[in-house]
Amino acid sequence: MKGKFQLDNQKRKNMISAIKRYFYEERDEEMGDLAASMFLDFFTEELAAEFYNQGIEDCYSYMNDRLSDMLGLQK
């Protein structure tokens, strides 16, 4: 499932900086703003929905467990 996530400018800048820092620290590669921006776009357009959906599923399971616990309080 593909989805488009909107990021405010400051968050986007912070993420681009984090991507550039990761590539420098972990791969000893310098990445420019354009390449890091394209990398971020790829993740938000192609992969972010999977993380979002997993978060929704985890939340659903957690809430479902809590609601089941509440049924035990019935008299």
XYZ file of all heavy atoms in Angstrom:
626
model
N 0.837 -1.183 0.000
C 0.000 0.000 0.000
C 0.877 1.240 0.000
O 1.747 1.403 0.829
C -0.893 -0.012 1.242
C -1.718 1.229 1.389
S -2.722 1.142 2.889
C -3.646 2.623 2.655
N 0.657 2.119 -0.922
C 1.409 3.356 -0.994
C 0.594 4.465 -0.368
O -0.618 4.498 -0.459
C 1.727 3.714 -2.446
C 2.663 2.746 -3.117
C 2.958 3.172 -4.517
C 3.821 2.143 -5.210
N 4.158 2.504 -6.560
N 1.270 5.394 0.265
C 0.588 6.523 0.874
C 1.492 7.732 0.864
O 2.709 7.624 0.776
N 0.886 8.886 0.961
C 1.645 10.129 0.970
C 1.508 10.759 2.342
O 0.401 11.005 2.807
C 1.109 11.076 -0.117
C 1.870 12.353 -0.245
C 3.257 12.126 -0.796
C 3.922 13.463 -1.058
N 5.311 13.338 -1.364
N 2.619 10.968 2.997
C 2.643 11.597 4.299
C 3.193 13.000 4.143
O 4.212 13.205 3.492
C 3.520 10.798 5.265
C 2.915 9.465 5.624
C 3.109 8.358 4.824
C 2.152 9.333 6.762
C 2.544 7.141 5.150
C 1.588 8.126 7.102
C 1.778 7.024 6.299
N 2.513 13.943 4.724
C 2.958 15.334 4.668
C 3.789 15.650 5.910
O 3.369 15.364 7.026
C 1.752 16.283 4.600
C 0.905 16.128 3.355
C 1.652 16.477 2.090
O 2.443 17.416 2.059
N 1.430 15.712 1.045
N 4.946 16.211 5.706
C 5.820 16.617 6.796
C 5.953 18.125 6.778
O 6.086 18.712 5.697
C 7.209 15.994 6.620
C 7.287 14.472 6.558
C 8.675 14.038 6.125
C 6.941 13.884 7.917
N 5.951 18.740 7.955
C 6.183 20.181 7.949
C 7.660 20.422 7.627
O 8.493 19.515 7.699
C 5.739 20.839 9.256
C 6.576 20.456 10.463
O 7.818 20.454 10.365
O 5.980 20.166 11.517
N 7.969 21.634 7.230
C 9.314 21.945 6.719
C 10.416 21.631 7.722
O 11.465 21.106 7.343
C 9.400 23.408 6.279
C 8.693 23.643 4.964
O 8.492 22.704 4.188
N 8.302 24.879 4.704
N 10.191 21.954 8.998
C 11.239 21.719 9.996
C 11.488 20.235 10.193
O 12.634 19.797 10.276
C 10.878 22.389 11.328
C 12.020 22.360 12.324
C 13.269 23.048 11.787
O 13.202 24.171 11.287
N 14.410 22.377 11.867
N 10.436 19.438 10.256
C 10.609 17.988 10.397
C 11.329 17.421 9.189
O 12.200 16.559 9.314
C 9.261 17.295 10.574
C 8.662 17.486 11.939
C 7.348 16.759 12.053
C 6.714 17.044 13.399
N 5.384 16.461 13.533
N 10.965 17.894 8.006
C 11.614 17.422 6.783
C 13.109 17.757 6.798
O 13.945 16.903 6.502
C 10.925 18.038 5.563
C 11.454 17.515 4.261
C 10.616 17.991 3.077
N 11.202 17.548 1.848
C 11.076 16.307 1.358
N 10.337 15.431 1.996
N 11.665 15.960 0.232
N 13.442 18.970 7.198
C 14.854 19.372 7.288
C 15.600 18.506 8.289
O 16.739 18.092 8.032
C 14.961 20.843 7.676
C 14.609 21.796 6.566
C 14.722 23.234 7.039
C 14.242 24.190 5.971
N 14.273 25.593 6.428
N 14.965 18.233 9.435
C 15.603 17.396 10.453
C 15.830 15.981 9.939
O 16.875 15.376 10.201
C 14.753 17.359 11.724
C 14.720 18.681 12.452
O 15.537 19.566 12.222
N 13.750 18.822 13.342
N 14.867 15.446 9.199
C 15.010 14.098 8.656
C 16.095 14.042 7.585
O 16.865 13.078 7.522
C 13.676 13.600 8.107
C 12.678 13.299 9.180
S 11.137 12.713 8.444
C 10.206 12.328 9.920
N 16.160 15.044 6.759
C 17.202 15.107 5.732
C 18.570 15.158 6.402
O 19.500 14.456 5.999
C 16.964 16.299 4.782
C 15.759 15.997 3.883
C 18.214 16.606 3.966
C 15.284 17.176 3.055
N 18.698 15.960 7.455
C 19.967 16.031 8.199
C 20.310 14.683 8.809
O 21.478 14.263 8.792
C 19.884 17.091 9.299
O 19.795 18.371 8.740
N 19.308 13.980 9.342
C 19.547 12.668 9.945
C 20.002 11.664 8.893
O 20.897 10.845 9.154
C 18.284 12.182 10.649
N 19.417 11.705 7.721
C 19.807 10.801 6.632
C 21.253 11.073 6.225
O 22.062 10.145 6.090
C 18.857 10.947 5.423
C 17.475 10.391 5.776
C 19.437 10.259 4.180
C 16.386 10.754 4.787
N 21.578 12.337 6.050
C 22.942 12.702 5.673
C 23.941 12.268 6.738
O 25.001 11.726 6.420
C 23.037 14.207 5.430
C 22.299 14.658 4.186
C 22.173 16.151 4.098
C 23.509 16.830 3.979
N 23.364 18.293 3.762
N 23.595 12.466 8.015
C 24.466 12.079 9.121
C 24.649 10.552 9.148
O 25.762 10.053 9.325
C 23.888 12.587 10.444
C 24.768 12.352 11.646
C 24.237 13.006 12.928
N 22.839 12.679 13.184
C 21.812 13.516 13.020
N 22.018 14.745 12.557
N 20.582 13.140 13.300
N 23.551 9.816 8.956
C 23.637 8.358 8.946
C 24.598 7.877 7.854
O 25.470 7.040 8.117
C 22.255 7.735 8.727
C 22.330 6.250 8.529
C 22.419 5.388 9.611
C 22.358 5.699 7.241
C 22.523 4.015 9.437
C 22.457 4.327 7.062
C 22.547 3.498 8.154
O 22.661 2.143 7.962
N 24.419 8.376 6.646
C 25.274 7.929 5.548
C 26.733 8.292 5.807
O 27.631 7.517 5.478
C 24.789 8.497 4.207
C 23.798 7.608 3.524
C 22.466 7.642 3.882
C 24.185 6.721 2.538
C 21.538 6.813 3.273
C 23.282 5.875 1.921
C 21.953 5.920 2.291
N 26.972 9.432 6.427
C 28.351 9.831 6.717
C 28.955 8.959 7.818
O 30.069 8.456 7.683
C 28.405 11.311 7.116
C 29.800 11.786 7.349
C 30.667 12.014 6.279
C 30.276 11.988 8.641
C 31.970 12.429 6.491
C 31.568 12.398 8.859
C 32.420 12.621 7.786
O 33.704 13.022 8.002
N 28.191 8.755 8.898
C 28.718 8.016 10.047
C 28.792 6.509 9.808
O 29.723 5.854 10.265
C 27.872 8.294 11.296
C 28.017 9.717 11.796
C 27.065 10.055 12.937
O 26.234 9.188 13.332
O 27.136 11.194 13.425
N 27.817 5.950 9.121
C 27.748 4.505 8.955
C 28.400 4.004 7.664
O 28.839 2.859 7.605
C 26.288 4.033 8.991
C 25.583 4.310 10.302
C 26.201 3.577 11.478
O 26.656 2.418 11.300
O 26.231 4.157 12.578
N 28.399 4.828 6.644
C 28.895 4.367 5.341
C 30.072 5.197 4.844
O 30.596 4.948 3.771
C 27.760 4.391 4.326
C 26.588 3.477 4.721
C 25.466 3.509 3.718
N 25.897 3.295 2.354
C 26.010 2.099 1.761
N 25.712 1.004 2.419
N 26.397 2.002 0.513
N 30.432 6.213 5.632
C 31.532 7.114 5.259
C 31.292 7.729 3.877
O 32.208 7.865 3.069
C 32.871 6.374 5.309
C 34.040 7.337 5.443
O 33.842 8.450 5.974
O 35.155 6.991 4.995
N 30.023 8.053 3.613
C 29.628 8.671 2.345
C 28.976 10.016 2.636
O 28.135 10.131 3.515
C 28.605 7.802 1.609
C 29.113 6.460 1.174
C 28.030 5.612 0.521
O 27.078 6.185 -0.053
O 28.127 4.385 0.599
N 29.373 11.001 1.873
C 28.704 12.292 1.989
C 27.536 12.312 1.013
O 27.666 11.928 -0.139
C 29.684 13.436 1.712
C 30.686 13.592 2.834
C 31.415 14.920 2.793
O 30.876 15.887 2.206
O 32.518 14.971 3.346
N 26.407 12.767 1.495
C 25.200 12.829 0.688
C 24.735 14.286 0.664
O 24.679 14.938 1.704
C 24.128 11.916 1.295
C 22.828 11.894 0.519
S 21.616 10.787 1.283
C 22.033 9.252 0.498
N 24.403 14.755 -0.505
C 23.908 16.118 -0.626
C 22.449 16.230 -0.222
O 21.753 15.232 -0.022
N 21.982 17.464 -0.119
C 20.592 17.711 0.260
C 19.608 17.093 -0.730
O 18.597 16.516 -0.322
C 20.316 19.217 0.366
C 20.956 19.844 1.591
O 21.302 19.107 2.538
O 21.095 21.078 1.611
N 19.894 17.203 -2.024
C 18.986 16.670 -3.035
C 18.873 15.147 -2.924
O 17.772 14.602 -2.921
C 19.432 17.070 -4.446
C 18.568 16.537 -5.593
C 17.127 17.025 -5.453
C 19.159 16.960 -6.935
N 20.000 14.469 -2.810
C 19.980 13.006 -2.704
C 19.266 12.576 -1.423
O 18.460 11.639 -1.444
C 21.400 12.447 -2.732
N 19.532 13.246 -0.317
C 18.874 12.899 0.947
C 17.381 13.174 0.866
O 16.567 12.412 1.391
C 19.504 13.673 2.100
N 17.010 14.238 0.201
C 15.595 14.574 0.015
C 14.896 13.512 -0.826
O 13.776 13.088 -0.512
C 15.467 15.945 -0.653
O 14.123 16.270 -0.872
N 15.557 13.048 -1.875
C 14.988 11.999 -2.720
C 14.871 10.679 -1.947
O 13.906 9.950 -2.101
C 15.831 11.826 -3.985
C 15.735 13.025 -4.919
S 16.857 12.927 -6.325
C 16.088 11.608 -7.259
N 15.861 10.393 -1.118
C 15.840 9.198 -0.276
C 14.654 9.265 0.688
O 13.904 8.295 0.844
C 17.164 9.118 0.492
C 17.437 7.801 1.134
C 17.810 6.705 0.379
C 17.348 7.662 2.508
C 18.073 5.477 0.979
C 17.612 6.446 3.113
C 17.972 5.356 2.348
N 14.446 10.423 1.312
C 13.308 10.624 2.208
C 11.993 10.487 1.451
O 11.056 9.838 1.942
C 13.400 11.995 2.876
C 12.254 12.364 3.825
C 12.111 11.352 4.945
C 12.482 13.766 4.374
N 11.915 11.051 0.260
C 10.695 10.927 -0.552
C 10.387 9.463 -0.864
O 9.230 9.042 -0.801
C 10.828 11.706 -1.864
C 10.790 13.209 -1.663
O 10.348 13.660 -0.579
O 11.213 13.927 -2.592
N 11.426 8.697 -1.185
C 11.227 7.274 -1.455
C 10.609 6.586 -0.241
O 9.638 5.846 -0.361
C 12.552 6.599 -1.828
C 12.450 5.105 -1.843
C 11.829 4.451 -2.896
C 12.949 4.352 -0.788
C 11.715 3.059 -2.908
C 12.836 2.959 -0.791
C 12.221 2.323 -1.851
N 11.174 6.837 0.937
C 10.650 6.199 2.138
C 9.225 6.631 2.438
O 8.378 5.792 2.764
C 11.554 6.481 3.347
C 12.611 5.439 3.513
C 13.816 5.544 2.847
C 12.387 4.335 4.311
C 14.786 4.571 2.980
C 13.346 3.352 4.455
C 14.556 3.468 3.777
N 8.939 7.910 2.327
C 7.586 8.363 2.661
C 6.566 7.886 1.636
O 5.429 7.589 1.989
C 7.508 9.892 2.818
O 7.957 10.531 1.627
C 8.328 10.375 3.993
N 6.954 7.781 0.387
C 6.014 7.372 -0.655
C 5.864 5.854 -0.756
O 4.779 5.358 -1.059
C 6.451 7.934 -2.006
C 6.319 9.446 -2.083
C 6.979 10.040 -3.314
O 7.404 9.272 -4.213
O 7.084 11.274 -3.381
N 6.928 5.118 -0.512
C 6.910 3.678 -0.758
C 6.837 2.819 0.498
O 6.308 1.712 0.441
C 8.156 3.269 -1.561
C 8.269 3.940 -2.911
C 7.211 3.482 -3.898
O 6.747 2.326 -3.796
O 6.846 4.274 -4.769
N 7.378 3.289 1.604
C 7.520 2.427 2.771
C 6.790 2.901 4.023
O 6.437 2.073 4.870
C 9.007 2.259 3.111
C 9.889 1.744 1.967
C 11.344 1.742 2.385
C 9.452 0.366 1.542
N 6.573 4.180 4.164
C 6.013 4.725 5.403
C 4.650 4.136 5.736
O 4.341 3.914 6.913
C 5.927 6.250 5.325
N 3.829 3.853 4.738
C 2.496 3.313 4.995
C 2.571 1.978 5.728
O 1.712 1.678 6.568
C 1.714 3.166 3.692
N 3.599 1.177 5.451
C 3.750 -0.103 6.134
C 4.008 0.100 7.621
O 3.444 -0.608 8.459
C 4.878 -0.924 5.511
C 4.583 -1.377 4.098
C 3.345 -2.264 3.990
O 3.093 -3.066 4.909
O 2.629 -2.139 2.994
N 4.850 1.071 7.955
C 5.122 1.371 9.364
C 3.874 1.934 10.038
O 3.560 1.583 11.172
C 6.285 2.357 9.498
C 7.596 1.764 9.077
C 8.144 2.064 7.843
C 8.290 0.907 9.919
C 9.352 1.519 7.447
C 9.498 0.351 9.543
C 10.032 0.660 8.296
N 3.176 2.792 9.337
C 1.934 3.370 9.858
C 0.910 2.269 10.115
O 0.312 2.204 11.197
C 1.388 4.386 8.852
C 0.057 4.965 9.251
C -0.010 6.032 10.131
C -1.129 4.441 8.744
C -1.242 6.567 10.510
C -2.355 4.961 9.112
C -2.401 6.031 9.991
O -3.617 6.544 10.363
N 0.722 1.395 9.150
C -0.249 0.314 9.298
C 0.122 -0.626 10.436
O -0.751 -1.090 11.178
C -0.400 -0.467 7.992
C -1.091 0.349 6.923
O -1.767 1.329 7.211
N -0.908 -0.045 5.686
N 1.408 -0.886 10.602
C 1.842 -1.733 11.717
C 1.528 -1.051 13.045
O 1.102 -1.705 13.997
C 3.337 -2.053 11.619
C 3.807 -3.003 12.704
C 3.136 -4.363 12.614
O 3.143 -4.979 11.553
N 2.574 -4.846 13.705
N 1.709 0.246 13.110
C 1.370 0.992 14.315
C -0.118 0.918 14.619
O -0.517 0.761 15.781
N -0.934 1.005 13.585
C -2.384 0.892 13.768
C -2.736 -0.508 14.269
O -3.541 -0.663 15.199
C -3.129 1.196 12.451
C -2.936 2.657 12.038
C -4.604 0.843 12.552
C -3.538 3.658 12.993
N -2.145 -1.538 13.680
C -2.413 -2.910 14.120
C -1.975 -3.129 15.564
O -2.699 -3.752 16.352
C -1.711 -3.910 13.200
C -2.349 -4.018 11.829
C -1.613 -4.992 10.924
O -0.970 -5.943 11.439
O -1.684 -4.807 9.690
N -0.801 -2.605 15.924
C -0.319 -2.741 17.298
C -1.253 -2.034 18.276
O -1.564 -2.559 19.345
C 1.092 -2.183 17.438
C 2.138 -3.005 16.703
O 1.825 -4.144 16.277
O 3.264 -2.505 16.544
N -1.696 -0.851 17.911
C -2.620 -0.085 18.749
C -3.937 -0.830 18.896
O -4.496 -0.926 19.999
C -2.842 1.300 18.150
S -3.936 2.338 19.132
N -4.437 -1.366 17.808
C -5.689 -2.116 17.838
C -5.579 -3.311 18.784
O -6.459 -3.548 19.610
C -6.069 -2.578 16.432
C -7.302 -3.440 16.407
C -8.571 -2.869 16.428
C -7.195 -4.824 16.386
C -9.711 -3.663 16.425
C -8.325 -5.625 16.390
C -9.582 -5.039 16.406
O -10.693 -5.830 16.408
N -4.497 -4.051 18.666
C -4.293 -5.220 19.532
C -4.211 -4.806 20.995
O -4.817 -5.438 21.865
C -3.012 -5.961 19.145
O -3.144 -6.527 17.877
N -3.476 -3.744 21.257
C -3.340 -3.254 22.634
C -4.694 -2.847 23.198
O -5.065 -3.240 24.301
C -2.362 -2.078 22.666
C -2.243 -1.453 24.032
C -1.422 -2.019 24.999
C -2.961 -0.302 24.357
C -1.316 -1.455 26.261
C -2.868 0.255 25.611
C -2.046 -0.321 26.560
O -1.959 0.244 27.802
N -5.438 -2.048 22.426
C -6.740 -1.576 22.893
C -7.720 -2.737 23.039
O -8.508 -2.776 23.989
C -7.304 -0.515 21.947
C -6.487 0.767 21.916
S -6.340 1.550 23.533
C -8.023 2.036 23.811
N -7.679 -3.684 22.141
C -8.552 -4.845 22.211
C -8.273 -5.647 23.487
O -9.197 -6.101 24.165
C -8.379 -5.709 20.967
C -9.571 -6.582 20.703
O -10.684 -6.267 21.086
N -9.331 -7.693 20.042
N -6.995 -5.814 23.819
C -6.625 -6.508 25.058
C -7.146 -5.760 26.279
O -7.642 -6.369 27.228
C -5.113 -6.674 25.163
C -4.552 -7.664 24.163
O -5.335 -8.432 23.573
O -3.317 -7.666 23.982
N -7.024 -4.433 26.264
C -7.497 -3.632 27.409
C -9.018 -3.723 27.541
O -9.545 -3.804 28.645
C -7.093 -2.163 27.280
C -5.588 -1.885 27.210
C -4.765 -2.250 28.441
N -4.383 -3.622 28.618
C -3.431 -4.301 27.981
N -2.735 -3.738 27.039
N -3.170 -5.558 28.257
N -9.722 -3.713 26.407
C -11.171 -3.819 26.458
C -11.603 -5.190 26.970
O -12.584 -5.306 27.714
C -11.793 -3.538 25.091
C -11.707 -2.082 24.630
C -12.177 -1.967 23.186
C -12.523 -1.184 25.530
N -10.869 -6.223 26.588
C -11.172 -7.561 27.104
C -10.984 -7.604 28.618
O -11.770 -8.226 29.335
C -10.280 -8.605 26.442
O -10.585 -8.723 25.082
N -9.950 -6.921 29.102
C -9.722 -6.843 30.546
C -10.902 -6.171 31.245
O -11.272 -6.548 32.353
C -8.444 -6.062 30.864
C -7.176 -6.812 30.461
O -7.246 -8.031 30.194
O -6.118 -6.169 30.426
N -11.482 -5.170 30.591
C -12.602 -4.449 31.185
C -13.830 -5.357 31.344
O -14.584 -5.223 32.300
C -12.985 -3.225 30.341
C -12.018 -2.083 30.486
S -12.529 -0.626 29.555
C -14.063 -0.224 30.374
N -14.018 -6.293 30.438
C -15.154 -7.210 30.545
C -15.080 -8.040 31.816
O -16.097 -8.457 32.371
C -15.242 -8.104 29.315
C -15.626 -7.408 28.006
C -15.558 -8.397 26.855
C -16.997 -6.788 28.103
N -13.865 -8.264 32.306
C -13.690 -9.011 33.544
C -14.177 -8.244 34.766
O -14.336 -8.814 35.842
N -14.434 -6.968 34.607
C -14.910 -6.138 35.723
C -16.418 -6.203 35.889
O -16.959 -5.676 36.859
C -14.486 -4.681 35.524
C -12.980 -4.433 35.454
C -12.709 -2.986 35.097
C -12.317 -4.795 36.780
N -17.085 -6.835 34.954
C -18.559 -6.919 35.037
C -18.980 -7.683 36.281
O -18.302 -8.589 36.733
C -19.134 -7.629 33.797
C -19.022 -6.827 32.536
C -19.567 -7.599 31.344
O -19.484 -8.821 31.308
N -20.113 -6.880 30.392
N -20.128 -7.289 36.806
C -20.682 -7.963 37.995
C -21.872 -8.775 37.626
O -22.585 -8.553 36.737
C -21.082 -6.922 39.039
C -19.850 -6.188 39.517
C -20.221 -5.273 40.639
C -18.988 -4.502 41.012
N -18.755 -4.179 42.283
